[in-house]
Amino acid sequence: MTTYATLNPRQRLLMGPGPSTVPDRILRAIGSPTLGHLDPQYIQYMDETCQMMRDVFVTKNQLTFPVSGTGMAGMEAILVNLIEPGDEVIVCINGVFGGRMKDNMQRCGATVHVVEVPWGQTFTDEAIAEAVSKHPKATMLGIVHAETSTGALQPIQGISKIVHDAGMLLAVDAVTSLGGHELKVDDWNIDAIYSGTQKCLSCPPGLSPVSFSPAAIEKMEARKTPSQSWYLDVSMLKNYYTGGGASSGARAYHHTAPINMVYALREALQIVLEEGLEKRIARHRTVHLDLRKGLEELGLTYIPENSLSTLNCVATPEGINEAAIRTRLLNEYDIEIGGGLGVFAGKAWRIGLMGYGATHRNVVTLLSALKECMSST
Ligand SMILES: *Cc1c(COP(=O)(O)O)cnc(C)c1O
């Protein structure tokens, strides 16, 4: 019989595009006793988690809950419920994650109109206005707030007005912005939004916070055909997460909630709220500027439009073996950073400063390790 070594993962400093380093406080929360998913004590924790999620999304949307699965499951939960076969939709692509939205929209049976700008750039209000007037029958526009593949931060407010003036819904990927950048779901009039736990919330991967506006709920309730996904069918999930509006508050079992992951998310959201959203966003900004200064002193340059604090996309110097440097960072210094994706594959490093990991101390640690590796690889 094979014998296996005891599980003993190394303590890494996770400074890539996610997951980010998880504080012990959250790991301890995961280790709390597992309750049943209909236990009143658990339901209370879950309700508190959803309320804290509303506070962090800055929304009053009743239908705000953690989808069982990572960020991509949150994306799919939104698209399979808001799109019916035959719908026309618009998607904005300026990196990897807009491309995934497009793929998923097509699988929902939509006719997808693509608006594209080169990787790294963001969309102007004019570009969106043009797309919207060209496709007036579209029911929804999908866009990424923080493109983790390029470091681009997309302004949302102007776009939101254009999309709503045309009578469409706005769906937003906020996986790398929630908890690290300003994001106001109600003020910005976002109809459907998904995020992830393992980026700026510093929680292990496994849940996707989502929120739906009343207009999004209306669109779902008007469906002629049930959603193609049984697991992600929000019309059933809402009976568990919100009691379906039933005055008894009774919760209908759909699937077993990932109990201990919800503990982790609750703890993570509590940490965010204890720090305060504004202070947390300012911290990400300060630490980003810190890192930017240090990287530029090392002679590295950012991808021109990098506007994210949470993800720093820097061009790798000509003539160096960028993958070998990442391997050395990991093996000799226990530091993980990311390589480039798509058009930036082999040409960029992606350095995350997310949540608990966004500290001056981590910036100093990474800069000195990177300097050593770059001088001798
Ligand atoms: C990480 C990320 C995702 C994917 O989320 P998973 O948790 O890997 O499923 C989606 N969108 C953006 C912008 C991301 O950074």
Side-chain angles (χ1 to χ4, degrees):
M1 202 181 86
T2 315
T3 56
Y4 299 93
T6 307
L7 182 72
N8 187 24
R10 293 182 66 85
Q11 191 76 54
R12 307 275 205 205
L13 187 53
L14 299 178
M15 298 185 77
S20 58
T21 299
V22 179
D24 289 345
R25 187 174 150 188
I26 293 177
L27 294 174
R28 281 196 299 274
I30 296 185
S32 304
T34 301
L35 291 167
H37 58 283
L38 295 172
D39 185 320
Q41 200 186 355
Y42 174 70
I43 298 287
Q44 183 181 337
Y45 288 138
M46 187 179 81
D47 285 349
E48 289 166 357
T49 306
C50 293
Q51 186 48 49
M52 286 194 256
M53 234 152 66
R54 289 183 197 100
D55 294 342
V56 173
F57 271 133
V58 198
T59 183
K60 294 198 164 55
N61 286 340
Q62 180 62 17
L63 193 52
T64 301
F65 65 95
V67 169
S68 304
T70 63
M72 296 287 81
M75 172 182 78
E76 191 140 3
I78 283 169
L79 300 180
V80 299
N81 285 283
L82 291 183
I83 295 175
E84 278 192 276
D87 279 0
E88 279 187 45
V89 297
I90 301 172
V91 68
C92 303
I93 303 183
N94 60 348
V96 164
F97 293 101
R100 289 183 170 192
M101 244 195 234
K102 176 192 172 203
D103 183 8
N104 199 164
M105 286 167 161
Q106 284 173 330
R107 290 171 192 232
C108 297
T111 302
V112 185
H113 304 291
V114 175
V115 203
E116 224 162 345
V117 292
W119 280 46
Q121 295 184 14
T122 52
F123 295 89
T124 60
D125 290 357
E126 291 71 33
I128 299 301
E130 192 188 320
V132 161
S133 66
K134 221 163 113 189
H135 307 292
K137 284 199 276 186
T139 55
M140 176 168 75
L141 179 137
I143 196 160
V144 178
H145 185 214
E147 236 318 334
T148 322
S149 62
T150 69
L153 178 66
Q154 175 65 50
I156 296 292
Q157 278 168 291
I159 287 173
S160 177
K161 181 163 184 343
I162 294 162
V163 166
H164 288 101
D165 284 349
M168 302 174 192
L169 297 175
L170 178 64
V172 173
D173 175 331
V175 178
T176 298
S177 52
L178 183 69
H181 274 279
E182 186 183 38
L183 173 64
K184 295 185 167 165
V185 169
D186 285 0
D187 274 9
W188 297 359
N189 202 0
I190 295 169
D191 295 295
I193 189 159
Y194 58 96
S195 190
T197 47
Q198 78 275 22
K199 310 260 169 126
C200 304
L201 300 179
S202 293
C203 187
L207 292 175
S208 173
V210 298
S211 186
F212 293 89
S213 74
I217 295 173
E218 220 172 280
K219 166 84 174 140
M220 287 191 271
E221 286 178 348
R223 290 184 70 100
K224 291 182 204 70
T225 52
S227 167
Q228 77 204 52
S229 170
W230 188 91
Y231 195 77
L232 297 174
D233 185 337
V234 170
S235 71
M236 296 193 282
L237 291 173
K238 74 175 194 311
N239 297 328
Y240 177 64
Y241 283 104
T242 67
S247 54
S248 67
R251 308 305 173 111
Y253 161 69
H254 176 267
H255 66 272
T256 308
I259 309 291
N260 293 56
M261 271 309 300
V262 172
Y263 297 163
L265 176 57
R266 185 181 181 282
E267 199 72 12
L269 293 165
Q270 197 165 22
I271 290 171
V272 172
L273 294 170
E274 280 168 7
E275 181 174 12
L277 275 175
E278 276 178 33
K279 266 180 78 180
R280 188 175 178 92
I281 292 159
R283 169 168 62 83
H284 279 84
R285 174 91 187 140
T286 306
V287 173
H288 156 73
L289 292 174
D290 230 15
L291 177 68
R292 181 181 280 262
K293 184 162 165 280
L295 290 172
E296 286 172 352
E297 279 166 12
L298 289 180
L300 295 164
T301 52
Y302 273 68
I303 299 299
E305 284 89 357
N306 194 117
S307 41
L308 283 177
S309 312
T310 51
L311 196 281
N312 298 265
C313 194
V314 293
T316 49
E318 293 286 332
I320 64 147
N321 183 341
E322 72 83 17
I325 289 181
R326 280 189 287 124
T327 302
R328 278 193 63 193
L329 282 174
L330 191 67
N331 292 344
E332 294 170 31
Y333 300 91
D334 282 306
I335 300 174
E336 178 177 278
I337 65 169
L341 277 184
V343 303
F344 294 136
K347 295 183 190 152
W349 286 322
R350 291 182 304 143
I351 303 169
L353 290 170
M354 300 183 184
Y356 176 71
T359 63
H360 180 68
R361 177 182 143 174
N362 287 348
V363 167
V364 171
T365 305
L366 171 68
L367 286 171
S368 49
L370 188 59
K371 188 174 177 186
E372 277 202 21
C373 293
M374 278 171 59
S375 66
S376 63
T377 303

